[in-house]
């Protein structure tokens, strides 16, 4: 017998058992047919019933957790990085909704968590450095927190989300941050946001348990939401997401809820709601079963389908017995067919199935969306055809959720895949859509700006699509621009202009300046291709820095931080800031100074001259230690103080050079007794070229001062580790200078 026809007919047999299960409602009234939905478990019985059904699909979900300790009563606009505040803030998707990042500043101090090496991060060996950023020429590390990770800065609160916990430090005295409160993650960190002093955090707990205890707070069955999914969707909801809100000042947990979900999810947060978008994969076996169940009478004679129906509807038999009976019926029928008839039957079923797939493809690839209200943590849900790219594919505007999707990601549909935008109302019902955009291409980036959406699709060219969403019930494609390459990130900069970061047709990093003033005819005003194949800003928007006032864009790429002047007349590189073999991670500005960050160095650059005025060296890590390698130093009871006398004339410069090895943690730091008499001209550390690239290499620290006023002044240099302060100095040199 033909092997394919056996498989197809075998699927028909399985259909009988599976569809009996999936078309029945459970005791709670939850139907496992129809559209995607998220509903409260309500009771332990309903929760366990869900686990049983899910377990039957082949997944293991864990067991109930009954150790209850405590109950609880639950009561875009991003044209960011503006210079109004004098310093840049984290590049976020939604204005007013802060996102965690590895560097934060309040315009005076910088808090920075290094990100390497990976083994240090994994074992919690990260540190957060406190940098006194002003004046820029003398910027230096003044403190060290032995916790590192994702940071938030809210007034005097520095929240650090580590690999296993959340800690809040009071940084009113930045040199000595004080721990205010701490909590365990009790799971894996997924995402978070900070809105008006409230920290919203999402934790993943592997498996499914109930009730849930998170930091001594019980999440009851009323607040555990279970998925109800269409019958043809794969049952891959095998993990739990815990969503909590924490008051930053007090550390009090104010609201919690839990969603049972899958590993493939995308999170978007507005000022009002958290949205979980789940990719819904169709199960090929179930789909074939559904197809055959609907069309069996087309392929088999009536006497065969009647026999199958009688067995299927007989309540005296269990599924296994029915399977045996139906197998016998079909085997008897197959024996009556010739080889040619079997081949014809197989071809007919396969051809019809391909047509069926194309007719129903909007049902096959879906995205289920759960909306959690930030007010009461109640959940509503909905579903759209297709899958989304990332969080920028979603946006909330005037109470409506807009979402951009691609349909046809299955390899069979790549040539006919299309793109769409759907609009949900506050009840998560679709009220408007525009579909069939750019057939044969998929979305590479999307950005919503008020009542407009900008979408980039790609296959051979880069169409920038402009969609009008002014009438949410009737979205409309207004215009498009086709150019080589594609953009993976779009950033609005005002005046209907966007910067696109992506790749050109040679696969090099490309910057584009788009103008959508004429919505029907968007233009690429200028472009610039870097001699780089990769930039973190391609897929990490926190690595993208835009200075709106100066029209300066900063991008990291390998060991470079590139600064560009972006104007309608063209894009011009103004600074190539090179680090020594260290990958650049972030950048920010304070006033007229640009600060760029790698794992072991921070550069301070004057944006008026584009000269580096300061390099701050951070300790290096050396395998296999989990702490920075510190060169052994004798325990000095009395530190020897060296005094040097100098005489200079007004206007004359003074150059001081001291040996330094920052990899030990020790650096020279100076103080001036009277800064009216001398001023700093330059501050530079020069690594020993003979030891270039060797961990532990030393160098020379050089300062140049200018004598400005007659009199006597003292320059005191102390050699100490930044986190220990001047009290830990192991060497002191005092220059007594007479200015004549």
């Amino acid at each position: 017998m033909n092997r394919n026809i056996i498989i197809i007919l075998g699927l028909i047999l399985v259909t009988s058992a599976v569809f009996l299960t999936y078309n029945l409602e459970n005791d709670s009234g939850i139907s496992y047919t129809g559209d995607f939905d998220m509903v409260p478990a309500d009771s332990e019985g309903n929760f366990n019933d869900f686990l049983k059904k899910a377990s039957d699909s082949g997944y293991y979900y864990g067991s109930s957790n009954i150790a209850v300790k405590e109950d609880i009563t639950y009561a875009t606009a991003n044209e960011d990085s503006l210079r109004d505040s004098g310093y840049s803030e984290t590049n976020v998707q939604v204005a007013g909704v802060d996102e965690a990042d590895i560097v934060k500043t309040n315009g005076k101090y910088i808090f920075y968590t290094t990100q390497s090496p990976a083994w240090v991060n994994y074992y919690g060996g990260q540190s957060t450095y406190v940098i006194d950023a002003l004046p820029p020429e003398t910027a230096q590390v003044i403190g060290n927190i032995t916790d590192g990770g994702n940071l938030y800065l809210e007034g005097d609160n520095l929240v650090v989300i580590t690999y296993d916990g959340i800690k809040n430090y009071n940084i009113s005295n930045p040199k000595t941050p004080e721990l205010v409160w701490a909590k365990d993650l009790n799971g894996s960190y997924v995402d978070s946001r900070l809105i008006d002093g409230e920290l919203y955090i999402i934790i993943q707990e592997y498996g499914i348990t109930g009730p849930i205890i998170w930091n001594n707070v019980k999440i009851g069955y009323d607040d555990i939401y279970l998925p109800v999914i269409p019958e043809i969707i794969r049952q891959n909801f095998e993990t739990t997401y815990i969503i909590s809100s924490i008051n930053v000042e007090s550390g009090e947990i104010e609201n919690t809820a839990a969603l049972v979900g899958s590993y493939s999810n995308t999170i978007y947060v507005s000022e009002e709601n958290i949205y979980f978008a789940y990719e819904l994969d169709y199960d090929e076996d179930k789909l074939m079963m559904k197809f055959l169940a609907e069309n069996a009478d087309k392929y088999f004679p009536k006497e065969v389908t009647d026999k199958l129906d009688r067995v299927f509807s007989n309540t005296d038999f269990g599924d296994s017995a029915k399977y045996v009976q139906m197998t016998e019926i079909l085997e008897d029928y197959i024996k009556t067919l010739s080889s040619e008839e079997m081949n014809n039957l197989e071809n007919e079923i396969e051809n019809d199935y391909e047509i069926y797939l194309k007719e129903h493809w909007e049902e096959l690839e879906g995205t289920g969306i759960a909306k959690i209200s930030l007010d009461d943590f109640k959940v509503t849900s909905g579903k759209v055809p297709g899958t989304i790219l990332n969080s920028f594919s979603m946006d909330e505007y005037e109470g409506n959720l807009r979402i951009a999707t691609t349909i046809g990601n299955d390899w069979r549909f790549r040539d006919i895949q299309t793109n769409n935008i759907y609009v949900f109302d506050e009840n998560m019902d679709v009220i408007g859509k525009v579909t069939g955009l750019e057939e044969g291409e998929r979305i590479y980036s999307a950005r919503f700006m008020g009542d407009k959406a900008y979408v980039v699709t790609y296959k051979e060219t880069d169409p920038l699509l402009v969609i009008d969403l002014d009438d949410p019930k009737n979205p409309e494609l207004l215009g498009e621009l086709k150019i080589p390459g594609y953009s993976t990130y779009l950033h609005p900069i005002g005046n209907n202009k966007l910067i696109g970061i992506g790749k050109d047709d040679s696969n090099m990093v490309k910057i584009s300046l788009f103008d959508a003033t004429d919505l029907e005819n968007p233009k690429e005003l200028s472009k610039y291709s870097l001699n780089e194949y990769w930039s973190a800003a391609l897929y990490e928007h926190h690595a993208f820095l835009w200075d709106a006032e100066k029209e300066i864009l900063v991008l990291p790429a390998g060991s470079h931080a590139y600064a560009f002047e972006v104007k309608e007349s063209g894009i011009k590189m103004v600074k190539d800031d090179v680090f020594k073999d260290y990958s650049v991670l972030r950048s920010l500005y304070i006033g007229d100074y640009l600060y760029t960050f790698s794992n072991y160095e921070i550069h301070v650059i004057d944006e008026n001259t584009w000269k580096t005025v300061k390099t701050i060296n951070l300790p290096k890590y050396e395998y296999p230690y989990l702490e920075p390698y510190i060169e052994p130093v004798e325990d000095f009871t009395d530190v020897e103080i060296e005094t040097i006398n100098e005489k200079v004339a007004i206007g004359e410069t003074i150059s001081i050079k001291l040996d330094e090895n920052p990899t030990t943690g020790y650096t020279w730091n100076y103080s001036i007794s009277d800064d009216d008499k001398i001023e700093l001209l330059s501050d530079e550390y020069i690594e020993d070229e003979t030891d270039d690239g060797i961990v532990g290499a030393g160098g020379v620290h050089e300062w140049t001062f200018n004598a400005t006023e007659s009199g006597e002044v003292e320059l005191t240099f102390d050699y100490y580790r930044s986190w220990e302060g001047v009290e830990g100095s192991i060497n002191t040199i005092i220059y007594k200078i007479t200015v004549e």
Side-chain angles (χ1 to χ4, degrees):
M1 186 181 296
N2 184 290
R3 182 176 180 275
N4 288 336
I5 202 71
I6 294 174
I7 294 173
I8 292 172
L9 295 178
L11 288 173
I12 297 173
L13 298 177
V14 182
T15 302
S16 63
V18 172
F19 270 79
L20 178 64
T21 300
Y22 280 89
N23 283 317
L24 293 179
E25 294 188 350
N26 61 27
D27 294 338
S28 66
I30 300 175
S31 174
Y32 282 80
T33 63
D35 234 348
F36 174 86
D37 200 3
M38 296 292 287
V39 297
D42 288 333
S43 68
E44 184 176 3
N46 289 339
F47 185 83
N48 290 335
D49 183 67
F50 171 83
L51 289 185
K52 183 179 184 304
K53 290 180 181 296
S55 181
D56 288 344
S57 69
Y59 291 91
Y60 174 72
Y61 293 84
S63 58
S64 295
N65 179 351
I66 59 173
V68 180
K69 295 183 180 180
E70 180 181 340
D71 288 315
I72 186 170
T73 301
Y74 298 116
T76 304
N78 182 30
E79 295 175 14
D80 55 293
S81 296
L82 300 180
R83 195 172 283 275
D84 295 350
S85 58
Y87 58 89
S88 59
E89 298 178 352
T90 300
N91 180 24
V92 298
Q93 182 175 355
V94 180
V97 181
D98 197 11
E99 301 172 13
D101 197 18
I102 60 175
V103 62
K104 296 284 182 177
T105 184
N106 57 12
K108 184 176 181 181
Y109 298 99
I110 297 170
F111 302 86
Y112 174 51
T113 292
T114 54
Q115 295 299 292
S116 182
W119 60 268
V120 172
N121 297 351
Y122 181 81
Y123 289 104
Q126 293 173 284
S127 291
T128 299
Y129 295 97
V130 184
I131 297 104
D132 187 350
L134 301 176
E137 294 84 358
T138 60
Q140 60 181 320
V141 176
I142 61 169
N144 174 282
I145 299 173
T146 57
D147 295 303
N150 294 283
L151 309 178
Y152 283 107
L153 187 58
E154 172 88 352
D156 287 336
N157 297 286
L158 179 71
V159 177
V160 184
I161 304 173
T162 71
Y163 78 105
D164 65 349
I166 313 167
K167 295 183 178 180
N168 180 33
Y169 291 88
N170 182 290
I171 46 91
S172 55
N173 183 351
K175 291 185 178 181
T176 57
E178 295 183 2
L179 181 64
V180 179
W181 56 261
K183 296 187 183 302
D184 293 331
L185 285 186
N186 293 328
S188 298
Y189 173 74
V190 176
D191 209 343
S192 61
R193 295 293 189 274
L194 184 63
I195 306 173
D196 295 331
E198 199 78 6
L199 175 66
Y200 298 91
I201 189 160
I202 301 165
I203 305 299
Q204 183 180 23
E205 188 178 81
Y206 299 101
I208 302 173
T209 60
I212 297 169
I213 309 300
W214 192 77
N215 277 286
N216 294 331
V217 172
K218 176 186 175 182
I219 305 176
Y221 292 108
D222 288 346
D223 295 299
I224 301 176
Y225 288 82
L226 308 175
V228 180
I229 60 177
E231 58 194 17
I232 62 170
I233 298 301
R234 192 181 305 280
Q235 293 277 359
N236 63 347
F237 287 72
E238 68 276 16
T239 190
T240 303
Y241 294 97
I242 300 170
I243 305 100
S244 303
S245 65
I246 303 173
N247 182 280
V248 169
E249 288 282 353
S250 66
E252 180 183 353
I253 299 173
E254 299 187 335
N255 282 294
T256 59
L259 300 178
V260 172
S262 68
Y263 289 100
S264 59
N265 70 82
T266 303
I267 296 167
Y268 162 74
V269 183
S270 71
E271 291 185 282
E272 306 293 336
N273 301 288
I274 298 174
Y275 293 89
F276 268 79
Y278 296 107
E279 184 175 326
L280 303 176
D281 298 322
Y282 72 92
D283 187 307
E284 186 81 43
D285 290 347
K286 292 181 184 177
L287 187 62
M288 175 65 86
M289 297 173 203
K290 187 175 189 297
F291 165 72
L292 289 171
E294 294 172 356
N295 299 279
D297 56 353
K298 180 180 179 180
Y299 307 116
F300 308 106
K302 187 175 186 304
E303 61 270 21
V304 174
T305 57
D306 286 346
K307 289 179 182 179
L308 293 173
D309 287 342
R310 283 196 297 272
V311 173
F312 179 76
S313 60
N314 193 327
T315 58
D316 294 333
F317 293 99
D319 290 342
S320 297
K322 290 180 181 180
Y323 181 87
V324 172
Q325 289 291 318
M326 296 176 77
T327 301
E328 292 178 355
I329 294 170
L330 289 174
E331 285 182 346
D332 289 342
Y333 170 68
I334 294 297
K335 290 175 183 178
T336 67
L337 301 179
S338 66
S339 296
E340 182 179 356
E341 288 172 328
M342 280 194 299
N343 288 333
N344 290 339
L345 179 60
E346 176 191 349
N347 291 333
E348 183 182 12
I349 292 176
E350 288 183 348
N351 290 336
D352 289 350
Y353 182 58
E354 289 298 319
I355 296 172
Y356 179 85
L357 287 177
K358 292 178 181 178
E359 290 177 346
H360 294 82
W361 75 335
E362 288 196 3
E363 304 168 27
L364 307 184
E365 295 181 27
T367 297
I369 307 164
K371 179 176 80 171
I372 302 101
S373 168
L374 298 185
D375 286 336
D376 56 14
F377 271 43
K378 297 304 179 184
V379 176
T380 52
S381 52
K383 175 181 175 288
V384 290
T387 57
I388 66 172
L389 177 66
N390 53 33
S391 66
F392 287 94
S393 298
M394 294 183 280
D395 179 80
E396 186 181 87
Y397 182 70
E398 295 184 346
N400 297 325
L401 173 69
R402 295 88 62 84
I403 182 168
T405 73
T406 296
I407 302 176
N409 290 294
D410 187 292
W411 61 271
R412 286 171 288 198
F413 308 133
R414 290 291 167 81
D415 291 336
I416 60 171
Q417 62 185 173
T418 62
N419 307 284
N420 325 274
I421 289 184
Y422 298 90
V423 182
F424 289 90
D425 65 12
E426 60 182 9
N427 298 316
M428 294 302 289
D429 294 322
V430 175
I431 59 172
K433 63 181 179 179
V434 56
T435 61
L437 303 173
E438 300 300 320
E439 183 175 320
E441 301 188 354
R442 68 176 178 87
I443 292 174
Y444 270 63
S445 60
R447 196 70 190 249
F448 293 85
M449 295 169 56
D451 60 5
K452 301 294 183 293
Y454 301 87
V455 176
V456 170
T457 63
Y458 180 73
K459 187 173 183 181
E460 294 178 353
T461 58
D462 174 4
L464 172 67
L465 309 179
V466 182
I467 294 99
D468 184 7
L469 297 165
D470 182 50
D471 180 358
K473 295 182 178 180
N474 297 286
E476 179 185 3
L477 174 65
L478 295 179
E480 64 178 307
L481 167 69
K482 290 183 179 288
I483 53 176
Y486 57 87
S487 299
T488 59
Y489 174 66
L490 296 173
H491 189 90
I493 62 171
N495 298 321
N496 298 307
K497 294 182 178 62
L498 302 97
I499 294 175
I501 305 298
K503 295 290 193 77
D504 63 16
D505 51 359
S506 298
N507 202 36
M508 308 303 286
V509 175
K510 176 189 176 185
I511 305 165
S512 296
L513 177 61
F514 298 112
D515 185 356
T517 302
D518 182 350
L519 296 173
E520 296 182 359
N521 297 286
K523 299 177 181 179
E524 184 181 49
L525 295 178
S526 53
K527 61 184 178 180
Y528 189 103
S529 289
L530 271 169
N531 188 31
E532 299 278 358
Y533 289 99
W534 177 259
S535 167
L538 287 168
Y539 299 101
E540 170 55 271
H541 62 282
H542 295 155
F544 177 103
L545 177 65
W546 172 246
D547 182 342
E549 181 181 310
K550 291 183 177 292
E551 297 182 292
I552 295 296
L553 165 68
V554 184
L555 297 179
S559 59
H560 299 255
Y562 295 102
F564 301 90
E565 186 179 69
V566 181
K567 297 181 178 292
E568 292 188 20
S569 57
I571 301 174
K572 180 178 69 174
M573 185 188 295
V574 293
K575 177 68 174 180
D576 178 5
D577 180 28
V578 183
F579 286 68
K580 285 190 176 182
D581 302 322
Y582 309 144
S583 293
V584 180
L585 302 175
R586 295 290 188 273
S587 59
L588 59 83
Y589 66 74
I590 299 176
D592 291 328
Y593 289 84
L594 175 68
Y595 296 73
T596 55
F597 301 80
S598 78
N599 286 315
Y600 302 120
E601 286 183 3
I602 302 172
H603 294 177
V604 187
I605 301 164
D606 185 339
E607 290 185 302
N608 294 308
T609 63
W610 293 109
K611 292 183 178 180
T612 302
V613 300
K614 176 72 174 180
T615 296
I616 302 172
N617 293 281
L618 302 175
K620 294 182 180 179
Y621 293 90
E622 191 170 272
Y623 183 83
Y625 304 101
L626 294 180
E627 296 294 333
Y629 173 74
I630 306 299
E631 185 177 284
V633 177
E634 290 184 42
D635 183 14
F636 292 96
T637 305
D638 296 312
V639 177
E640 182 178 351
I641 299 176
E642 180 181 0
T643 302
I644 299 172
N645 295 298
E646 296 277 357
K647 288 185 179 181
V648 295
I650 294 177
E652 188 177 345
T653 59
I654 308 159
S655 180
I656 297 174
K657 296 181 180 180
L658 298 174
D659 291 336
E660 184 176 283
N661 190 346
T663 65
T664 66
Y666 285 90
T667 56
W668 286 103
N669 300 270
Y670 72 89
S671 61
I672 305 175
S673 63
D674 188 347
D675 54 14
D676 288 334
K677 294 183 172 57
I678 60 172
E679 65 177 359
L680 178 70
L681 296 179
S682 66
D683 180 345
E684 184 178 10
Y685 173 77
I686 304 169
E687 191 170 358
D688 190 342
E689 293 184 359
T690 61
D691 292 325
D692 189 16
I694 300 175
V695 175
V700 174
H701 203 149
E702 180 176 2
W703 299 263
T704 302
F705 298 89
N706 180 46
T708 56
E709 186 179 303
S710 62
E712 293 187 351
V713 60
E714 289 188 358
L715 266 173
T716 303
F717 288 83
D718 287 290
Y719 198 52
Y720 58 85
R721 295 183 293 210
S722 59
W723 55 89
E724 294 181 343
V726 68
E727 295 81 3
S729 176
I730 61 171
N731 196 359
T732 300
I733 300 175
I734 300 175
Y735 288 82
K736 292 187 175 182
I737 300 170
T738 302
V739 182
E740 299 176 337

